[in-house]
Amino acid sequence: GPVAETFRVIQGAMTEEYVRSTQGVFQFELSGDGGGTWYIDLKTKGGSTGFGKPPVTADVVMNI
C-alpha cells in the first residue's frame, strides 16, 4: 500500500551520511488504512525502515 511504499522510498534514499549526521530512531504509530507501527532507523549502521518496532529503542515516537 501507499504507507509501505513511502517507507520503501525513504529506505532507498538513505545514505551513511544521513545516518551519521542524524543518529536518531523514529517510530510512527499510524492509524487508518495501512496503519500500524512503522520506523525509520537513522542510528544503526546503514539505517533501515520497516513495519513493526524498530531494532533499537526509538528516540522519538509519533502518533499520527
Side-chain angles (χ1 to χ4, degrees):
V3 173
E5 178 64 13
T6 299
F7 281 87
R8 188 192 65 74
V9 169
I10 292 168
Q11 176 74 46
M14 249 182 235
T15 66
E16 283 292 330
E17 182 179 336
Y18 288 149
V19 174
R20 267 194 314 275
S21 64
T22 305
Q23 288 297 295
V25 177
F26 305 88
Q27 180 174 319
F28 302 86
E29 298 295 339
L30 305 178
S31 60
D33 292 342
T37 301
W38 294 81
Y39 69 88
I40 300 173
D41 178 357
L42 292 170
K43 187 180 271 187
T44 306
K45 182 175 169 67
S48 63
T49 65
F51 181 76
K53 298 273 185 183
V56 295
T57 302
D59 298 299
V60 177
V61 178
M62 293 179 248
N63 293 296
I64 304 171

